[in-house]
Amino acid sequence: QVQVVESGGGSVQPGGSLRLSCDPSGDPYNRGCVAWFRQVPGKEREGVAAISAGNLAINVADSVKGRFEISQDGSKDTVYLQMYNLKPEDTGIYYCAAAPGAWARCPTTRREYKFWGQGTQVTVSS
């Protein structure tokens, strides 16, 4: 089993930045991929970025490319989502999730991810 805990959400003005943290724990095989998703009101949950635990390959959704970055602190297994130039449409609940297996490049689609955190709220508003 894997437990996933997110932190770092909050409120920020448009153009601001936030960094979210994800701390997955448990069987390393079951967290071969760690990804960030977001649930924006009125829309389906969307994958925004993913990182492979094995080769640290990253995959960032086109919708946030150039503004969001995903990284991993290898010494702590913590995965970060650094968000820049935030927009009101980025408002939503951000979830971290883990997928089992070994991946050369992790997907940002939901079905592969078996272990989910509770989510952290991000609000972008003036």
Side-chain angles (χ1 to χ4, degrees), residues 62-75:
D62 289 343
S63 59
V64 299
K65 196 167 289 183
R67 298 192 299 121
F68 289 14
E69 296 176 352
I70 189 169
S71 62
Q72 180 176 337
D73 182 334
S75 65

Side-chain angles (χ1 to χ4, degrees), residues 39-101:
Q39 185 82 54
V40 176
K43 295 186 177 181
E44 292 192 1
R45 195 172 297 187
E46 172 194 21
V48 295
I51 187 165
S52 168
N55 61 8
L56 299 182
I58 63 173
N59 183 7
V60 180
D62 289 343
S63 59
V64 299
K65 196 167 289 183
R67 298 192 299 121
F68 289 14
E69 296 176 352
I70 189 169
S71 62
Q72 180 176 337
D73 182 334
S75 65
K76 298 187 293 184
D77 290 340
T78 301
V79 174
Y80 301 102
L81 183 69
Q82 178 69 56
M83 303 182 291
Y84 300 100
N85 190 23
L86 283 160
K87 304 176 181 181
E89 52 264 40
D90 294 318
T91 294
I93 301 174
Y94 283 69
Y95 297 90
C96 184

